[in-house]
Amino acid sequence: NRKNSNFRNMEGNNETSKKQCSQSLWFGCIPRFDNFGHCRISLCWTLHSKPNTDGIGKMLVNGRTTQSCGNDTVICLPHKSQCDCSKNQEFYFEETFEKCFYKYTDETSLRTLKIACGSQNVTGKVEKIFPTSLTDERIDTLIEVSISKTGGVPENLQGAFVGIVSEHQDSVLVRSDAIVYMGQENLMIINQEQGKKKYTTTHCKVKVAGDKMECLDMIQDGTSKGSNMTMKFKYDDTTKDLLVAFSTEGGIPQNITLDANTGLFKATKKVNSDISYAATAKWFGRAEDPVTGLQTPVQMLISDNQFSYRQKFSLFEGVYATTPEAGDSSKGIMKIIGVRSSRSSEKALFSHFEFAIMLGRYEVVTEGSNTYFRFAQDRFNHTRVPETIDFTDPNQDVTVFSREAKAADETPDLYIQNVMPRFGRAGTRIRFKVGFKGARAFGKCPVDIKIYLGSSECTEVQCDTENFILTCKAGASTSLGPQRVDFAVGPLRVATDQYFSYLPAPGTVFPKIISIEPNLGSIKGGEEIFIPVAGYDDLNGKNVDVSIDGRKCEGVSIVDKVLVKCKTPAFTSPGEKIVLVSVDNVFAPNSVFFIVRNQDGTLRLSKPFPQVGKKSEFNKVDFTIFVKDGDGKVPSDLAVKILFGQQPASWIGNVTATSNPKIYNIAARTPKFVESGRVKVKFTAVTQGQSYVGFSYFIATADKVEDDVRIVNINPKSLSSDGGAVTIQAFVPRKYITVDATKKSRGLFSVQATSEDDVTVYIGKQECVVSEEVSLKCKPDDDTKPCLATVKCTAPKSFAGSAYVFVSFPGGSSVGNVWFTYTSSTQPKISSLSPSNTGISTNTKFTIKGSNLQKAARGLFAACDTVKVSLGGEPCSNVNCASSSELSADCDPPINSGAASVVVSVSGQASAQDPSLAGAASLTVTTGNQPNITDVSPTSASVNGGTKITLTGTNFGSSSASVKVAGAPCNNVKVESTTRITCDVAGGVAGSASIQVSVGTESSALFSGFSYTGEATCGEDCKEEDTTKKDDTSS
């Protein structure tokens, strides 16, 4: 319990009961049980209550439920004795609510709160019910907490104090900055010795009598000291100054003075402050939780120099001072000095306390009859003040608070999994596939929901509540190129990680970014990068501008007519930064990102294993962390955050060391997804004040293979860099398809909407424009079988190299890795690699032989200046070109075993990555423990899928393994032994197909010996949908 820090006021008819309840926030661990008798823990953090006159009432509890946290923290109720919490050791979280009966009593020396929540089984379905009493047999959750009212801390002493602790250590005077926070019967001290980084945290229970303060059952830095301390204190209620004396030799101080045997804490509650009266209040809002990434409820209390900020699992308590702007007390800079819980989580509520100073910009604004408090912080440095409060600035965290908790609940905590199309002009109808973070059902859209594309507001916003789709028309914009998508309800605005790009007027020539090489670099900047730009024959003489994260690249120059070269700027934070390229002030519309690392190679992060899972499940995945200077010990301050798209991982385990001192593992569970397809994974690790980021992807599949969009044919698989016509065939779930009766006469079949734009094809970063009607062949009168869709599109001009192909329908995007390759007469081709494999965490010098591996020297550029080499997506160094047919490079291999592509690019022209094409090269990263495929039977399968294959080899594990064929998940995987696996292939594009087996974070691949054959069909009775025009009655 913490007085005056409730999440929201209780509502009630009786003023006395209302006052009693509203003064306290109660924390507790509530045991709960599912239908199988497994223990669960429910964290209660939002309470809606209607008490009556005698403290008895009903309560709705909203919170999150976690599967089993062990017997040590779970109390199994007598009538649920079958519960055995020791069988599950992992966590995952689900939103939940409870209907509860409660009783609150306020006696002479003790306050007690008892809560009982219930459920009953009705025709096989569990329903929440309100128990009628504390002994109701239908109770499945029971909690009891109490607060002592005697011998605690007087009310005027409660709160935060900031000051200095002085004491003699070995005859040397030592001073520490300190925060003391006193509750009703507890004391917390955070102190940091001046000039040092280490913090000391002390907790104890407190009894106050006269001028003596007794600290009982002391806990220091998480360890019980098993001792008590009696201190003398003096407090001036007028000046808010506090003096506390403590003995360094034991016993009770005689005087409140500093001497050789007595330490002194001198502090105050009062600091200079000048803030508008309207701001001194209790405020409610929603903000991104620093641990989970969720938009969660927060409460901020500003009163009499006391500052309290609580956010689900973390808090910041302290004192504040303000500096008004130009004499206007309604806005300015706020400085908070206090205590924060830096790495709290579901498993460690309000823990890891440390001394902290936070700076931010605030403003109090009135809109209509509502007053809002806006607070902005620098996202990566809380000691730096933003110059303005800007919702669109990705480097700011802006929280909007309201006096009413209800306003905070209406924040649009949406995330977007897909935007189609990603390019367009004013008036383009845009479709957003959305989901909600947490348990909120989609329901109906808030009447005032708004969608922004940069600074432009969308019009005609519509909601499809059944299919989780928002649509709108792009508004007019004065800015071309990529614009970030934001949502807003009222004054509350939420940024997303999605972009929509405005195209110039029809007929206007515009640039297209093909790639960026290398695509990652140091936060310090100054690194040379190359950007191939399509759309022009020659960029010389044109005004070319490049910026990354809004910062201009230095020394922009043109190489080989259409290759842009520049040096990266310095960055303020690590992460994924958007790259913008303009030619004569016309921006490239496609979004390309550059990954900024804190320190090159110091810490690297792997992709998830397995990389495929069902969209409706919390899939367990494993990650590997490579630490260049690792010593086999997990850093004590290491914190990890994993995002799948905009959703946080539903559970993150502890980091564990391995036999390799540089390699560490961590397990996690994915969230559930609203749509099949690729999802970007962002992995962030923080240690010693440094952030490290890694990006990869996860493929979310439907629960049934027939509910996935699967590409089964692409013709041709390669084209010259001039582009041209491409035909793609894909199996599409029947439920995604509806016939647009208004366009039947043209033979057009749209998907879940009325526009041909609903079928979108991408080749890498560029759109392959669908140029003809989509034809469909389906089984008649059988909605359970997918249709075979034939999509024709026009591939744009590009540079040589391979890229993945994706087809997107409103119900989902294609799964699997389907390559398309652009070719040219100057494309690099690899014929051999030496060595042909490598080990993890080992820098290796590779010799690469082939053709077109360099160009002749030109002007200021040497023959090797524009040659880049990468291994598994990581740039190699020390590239040395011996000739156009041979080069060498030093490469850091991927940190996981398995297959890794080697790519050589020369002046933007890259070698192929499709293993079925000549000139492509891959190697195997080995550990000695990875699975090994020695044979596959049969050696071919139909492109339609369904063929059972048998893999033989070694190290297949005992139970869990995943298999991918041509990048698509194999279904019904069965590990029959450590040397044998069977599964059903999902189907793919005709030609050679690689097979990958993953066990934990180890994997291996078979590059040859298996292929897809035949033509795509949906069965003998498959028919083309009737495209003749019908009258209104028949249609």
Side-chain angles (χ1 to χ4, degrees):
N1 171 265
R2 266 294 306 119
K3 185 173 180 179
N4 295 328
S5 297
N6 62 308
F7 241 99
R8 68 167 63 198
N9 288 339
M10 305 295 182
E11 299 174 356
N13 299 321
N14 180 271
E15 289 301 317
T16 302
S17 182
K18 178 179 177 181
K19 181 178 179 182
Q20 290 170 343
C21 289
S22 68
Q23 286 184 342
S24 297
L25 170 64
W26 305 82
F27 296 100
C29 200
I30 306 176
R32 180 175 176 270
F33 311 89
D34 60 23
N35 294 332
F36 305 100
H38 298 141
C39 282
R40 293 168 177 257
I41 295 297
S42 177
L43 302 176
C44 153
W45 51 270
T46 304
L47 310 176
H48 305 260
S49 171
K50 290 189 177 297
N52 55 26
T53 55
D54 57 1
I56 296 176
K58 295 180 178 179
M59 178 183 292
L60 288 175
V61 181
N62 296 324
R64 305 183 83 199
T65 303
T66 166
Q67 176 182 322
S68 179
C69 57
N71 282 323
D72 57 333
T73 56
V74 176
I75 303 172
C76 295
L77 303 181
H79 63 283
K80 295 287 185 180
S81 58
Q82 74 272 25
C83 171
D84 182 1
C85 304
S86 62
K87 292 182 178 179
N88 291 308
Q89 296 302 321
E90 293 180 354
F91 294 81
Y92 69 84
F93 299 94
E94 294 177 342
E95 299 289 340
T96 186
F97 78 95
E98 304 287 344
K99 292 183 177 180
C100 307
F101 170 93
Y102 78 88
K103 184 174 182 180
Y104 173 78
T105 58
D106 188 353
E107 300 174 351
T108 303
S109 60
L110 196 68
R111 291 176 180 162
T112 303
L113 176 66
K114 297 181 180 180
I115 303 174
C117 309
S119 63
Q120 62 184 5
N121 194 309
V122 180
T123 63
K125 182 180 180 180
V126 177
E127 292 184 353
K128 306 293 184 181
I129 57 99
F130 287 106
T132 57
S133 69
L134 294 173
T135 58
D136 194 320
E137 292 184 354
R138 298 172 298 175
I139 294 173
D140 62 10
T141 300
L142 184 64
I143 182 173
E144 179 176 343
V145 290
S146 60
I147 306 170
S148 173
K149 295 172 62 178
T150 60
V153 178
E155 187 170 346
N156 63 340
L157 263 179
Q158 294 175 25
F161 294 82
V162 59
I164 295 177
V165 174
S166 302
E167 60 180 313
H168 287 87
Q169 296 179 4
D170 297 328
S171 301
V172 177
L173 181 61
V174 176
R175 298 183 185 275
S176 302
D177 296 315
I179 284 286
V180 170
Y181 199 93
M182 285 189 279
Q184 286 180 291
E185 52 183 2
N186 67 291
L187 171 68
M188 177 171 62
I189 305 171
I190 311 292
N191 63 290
Q192 177 190 27
E193 187 176 333
Q194 293 179 350
K196 296 186 178 180
K197 293 184 177 181
K198 179 176 173 54
Y199 296 97
T200 300
T201 306
T202 305
H203 293 86
C204 66
K205 294 180 180 179
V206 173
K207 286 186 177 181
V208 175
D211 64 349
K212 292 184 176 61
M213 185 181 298
E214 191 172 6
C215 197
L216 307 173
D217 303 326
M218 292 176 60
I219 298 175
Q220 194 169 79
D221 293 335
T223 303
S224 175
K225 307 297 287 186
S227 61
N228 303 329
M229 176 184 287
T230 301
M231 302 170 285
K232 293 191 71 172
F233 76 94
K234 180 181 179 181
Y235 178 63
D236 190 322
D237 204 13
T238 302
T239 63
K240 308 296 182 182
D241 292 332
L242 175 69
L243 290 173
V244 179
F246 57 93
S247 174
T248 57
E249 300 294 328
I252 303 174
Q254 297 299 312
N255 301 298
I256 307 179
T257 56
L258 176 66
D259 58 36
N261 299 318
T262 305
L264 187 66
F265 173 56
K266 184 177 182 180
T268 183
K269 266 188 182 182
K270 192 74 174 175
V271 292
N272 294 330
S273 178
D274 186 7
I275 194 169
S276 67
Y277 175 76
T280 58
K282 185 178 293 181
W283 299 89
F284 300 92
R286 294 181 73 87
E288 181 177 305
D289 187 282
V291 176
T292 67
L294 284 171
Q295 288 280 337
T296 58
V298 295
Q299 175 192 277
M300 182 171 67
L301 177 66
I302 301 174
S303 178
D304 191 27
N305 287 123
Q306 297 292 294
F307 177 90
S308 173
Y309 181 97
R310 290 177 178 265
Q311 183 174 328
K312 201 160 187 179
F313 310 123
S314 58
L315 60 82
F316 194 119
E317 301 274 11
V319 296
Y320 70 87
T322 58
T323 304
E325 184 176 291
D328 184 357
S329 62
S330 67
K331 58 184 178 180
I333 298 173
M334 177 178 284
K335 179 179 182 179
I336 303 117
I337 306 170
V339 176
R340 71 178 175 194
S341 51
S342 62
R343 301 193 307 279
S344 301
S345 65
E346 292 92 335
K347 294 179 286 184
L349 287 172
F350 307 103
S351 63
H352 301 286
F353 287 98
E354 63 183 23
F355 187 92
I357 297 175
M358 181 170 65
L359 287 172
R361 183 170 294 278
Y362 76 92
E363 63 181 5
V364 182
V365 296
T366 300
E367 295 183 2
S369 59
N370 299 315
T371 300
Y372 300 99
F373 187 97
R374 292 174 177 158
F375 188 69
Q377 298 171 263
D378 187 288
R379 175 167 291 182
F380 304 100
N381 186 347
H382 285 182
T383 63
R384 184 166 52 213
V385 180
E387 294 183 3
T388 60
I389 295 179
D390 184 358
F391 286 97
T392 65
D393 184 353
N395 295 316
Q396 286 189 32
D397 280 324
V398 182
T399 307
V400 179
F401 296 89
S402 168
R403 291 186 185 276
E404 298 293 332
K406 180 180 178 182
D409 285 344
E410 293 175 351
T411 307
D413 52 347
L414 297 169
Y415 66 88
I416 306 176
Q417 191 167 323
N418 204 352
V419 177
M420 290 294 167
R422 298 176 189 172
F423 313 104
R425 300 179 177 89
T428 298
R429 172 64 65 175
I430 310 171
R431 178 187 65 85
F432 305 91
K433 186 71 175 184
V434 300
F436 278 87
K437 300 175 184 177
R440 182 179 305 177
F442 191 77
K444 61 181 182 180
C445 285
V447 293
D448 57 348
I449 190 169
K450 297 178 181 179
I451 302 175
Y452 291 92
L453 309 175
S455 59
S456 174
E457 183 179 346
C458 258
T459 62
E460 300 181 22
V461 178
Q462 297 178 3
C463 301
D464 178 350
T465 58
E466 181 178 351
N467 296 296
F468 292 82
I469 293 175
L470 284 175
T471 61
C472 71
K473 281 188 176 180
S477 176
T478 57
S479 301
L480 299 179
Q483 307 294 320
R484 195 182 67 193
V485 179
D486 290 352
F487 287 94
V489 171
L492 309 173
R493 188 159 170 172
V494 177
T496 76
D497 63 352
Q498 300 289 325
Y499 287 83
F500 175 84
S501 291
Y502 278 94
L503 297 174
T508 305
V509 177
F510 56 87
K512 299 174 184 177
I513 308 175
I514 305 305
S515 62
I516 181 168
E517 300 171 350
N519 68 341
L520 50 82
S522 169
I523 193 172
K524 298 176 182 179
E527 296 178 314
E528 190 176 81
I529 59 173
F530 292 89
I531 305 173
V533 177
Y536 299 85
D537 294 328
D538 193 340
L539 291 174
N540 286 295
K542 298 186 181 296
N543 180 21
V544 179
D545 185 74
V546 180
S547 65
I548 306 178
D549 194 34
R551 296 168 171 83
K552 286 195 174 185
C553 274
E554 300 175 355
V556 176
S557 60
I558 309 301
V559 185
D560 276 352
K561 296 184 178 181
V562 288
L563 184 67
V564 178
K565 173 187 174 183
C566 65
K567 288 188 176 181
T568 59
F571 301 94
T572 59
S573 61
E576 191 177 46
K577 313 295 184 181
I578 190 167
V579 180
L580 298 180
V581 174
S582 66
V583 177
D584 292 339
N585 296 318
V586 178
F587 282 89
N590 48 340
S591 303
V592 177
F593 294 90
F594 183 79
I595 298 173
V596 177
R597 288 177 167 173
N598 222 323
Q599 295 180 22
D600 289 342
T602 302
L603 188 148
R604 291 192 287 135
L605 309 159
S606 79
K607 59 187 178 183
F609 284 87
Q611 217 167 351
V612 177
K614 293 181 179 179
K615 69 177 184 179
S616 63
E617 295 182 0
F618 299 104
N619 303 279
K620 185 175 182 295
V621 293
D622 294 290
F623 293 86
T624 297
I625 304 173
F626 169 80
V627 181
K628 186 176 183 179
D629 300 320
D631 58 3
K633 298 179 181 179
V634 178
S636 59
D637 66 339
L638 181 64
V640 171
K641 176 178 176 180
I642 304 172
L643 290 177
F644 292 83
Q646 289 181 271
Q647 296 190 89
S650 57
W651 166 77
I652 299 177
N654 294 321
V655 178
T656 58
T658 67
S659 57
N660 186 329
K662 297 182 179 182
I663 299 294
Y664 303 82
N665 291 333
I666 185 170
R669 287 190 182 274
T670 70
K672 295 180 180 180
F673 304 99
V674 295
E675 187 174 69
S676 300
R678 283 193 172 211
V679 180
K680 181 172 65 179
V681 179
K682 179 182 179 181
F683 190 122
T684 304
V686 181
T687 179
Q688 296 181 357
Q690 300 290 316
S691 297
Y692 304 87
V693 294
F695 294 89
S696 55
Y697 66 90
F698 180 82
I699 298 176
T701 66
D703 294 336
K704 299 179 180 178
V705 65
E706 56 266 26
D707 288 340
D708 275 324
V709 178
R710 290 177 291 126
I711 298 176
V712 290
N713 186 32
I714 180 168
N715 185 32
K717 295 176 66 174
S718 62
L719 277 174
S720 74
S721 55
D722 290 331
V726 177
T727 300
I728 298 171
Q729 288 184 299
F731 282 122
V732 183
R734 185 66 179 264
K735 63 183 178 180
Y736 296 165
I737 296 173
T738 58
V739 177
D740 180 1
T742 65
K743 299 183 180 181
K744 263 181 174 277
S745 61
R746 297 194 291 121
L748 177 67
F749 293 85
S750 65
V751 182
Q752 294 284 32
T754 59
S755 170
E756 56 268 35
D757 291 335
D758 291 324
V759 180
T760 310
V761 180
Y762 286 96
I763 299 177
K765 297 292 184 181
Q766 298 194 86
E767 184 176 4
C768 188
V769 179
V770 178
S771 52
E772 296 185 21
E773 300 156 352
V774 177
S775 65
L776 301 166
K777 290 185 178 181
C778 309
K779 282 183 175 290
D781 304 319
D782 188 351
D783 291 342
T784 64
K785 300 299 182 182
C787 294
L788 180 63
T790 300
V791 183
K792 295 183 178 182
C793 66
T794 302
K797 290 184 178 181
S798 187
F799 285 66
S802 296
Y804 286 132
V805 178
F806 299 98
V807 179
S808 180
F809 295 82
S813 299
S814 56
V815 299
N817 298 336
V818 178
W819 289 107
F820 180 85
T821 301
Y822 285 101
T823 63
S824 73
S825 59
T826 58
Q827 181 180 26
K829 293 184 179 181
I830 302 173
S831 59
S832 67
L833 288 172
S834 179
S836 58
N837 55 51
T838 185
I840 63 172
S841 69
T842 303
N843 184 280
T844 304
K845 180 179 288 293
F846 290 92
T847 299
I848 302 172
K849 294 183 178 181
S851 59
N852 295 330
L853 299 185
Q854 72 173 34
K855 281 192 172 184
R858 301 167 311 284
L860 298 176
F861 295 95
C864 214
D865 278 359
T866 62
V867 178
K868 301 293 180 182
V869 180
S870 66
L871 171 59
E874 290 281 335
C876 299
S877 59
N878 300 325
V879 178
N880 181 28
C881 302
S883 68
S884 62
S885 59
E886 182 177 333
L887 60 81
S888 64
D890 296 335
C891 303
D892 286 325
I895 59 178
N896 297 99
S897 60
S901 295
V902 177
V903 178
V904 175
S905 68
V906 180
S907 296
Q909 309 282 347
S911 59
Q913 294 184 66
D914 185 345
S916 67
L917 297 179
S922 296
L923 55 78
T924 301
V925 182
T926 61
T927 63
N929 299 317
Q930 78 276 6
N932 183 36
I933 308 171
T934 57
D935 187 51
V936 56
S937 178
T939 57
S940 64
S942 167
V943 296
N944 298 297
T947 302
K948 182 181 290 295
I949 62 173
T950 299
L951 305 177
T952 55
T954 57
N955 293 337
F956 287 163
S958 57
S959 58
S960 63
S962 65
V963 180
K964 290 196 295 184
V965 180
C970 207
N971 302 293
N972 303 319
V973 177
K974 294 182 179 179
V975 182
E976 297 182 354
S977 69
T978 59
T979 60
R980 181 183 173 93
I981 293 177
T982 62
C983 66
D984 300 330
V985 297
V989 177
S992 176
S994 62
I995 300 175
Q996 177 177 295
V997 174
S998 297
V999 179
T1001 59
E1002 302 278 1
S1003 68
S1004 69
L1006 185 69
F1007 296 113
S1008 61
F1010 182 80
S1011 61
Y1012 281 116
T1013 60
E1015 294 183 0
T1017 177
C1018 56
E1020 294 181 358
D1021 57 347
C1022 194
K1023 296 180 179 180
E1024 187 163 359
E1025 287 281 359
D1026 183 14
T1027 61
T1028 60
K1029 187 174 182 179
K1030 301 178 180 180
D1031 57 36
D1032 292 340
T1033 303
S1034 60
S1035 64

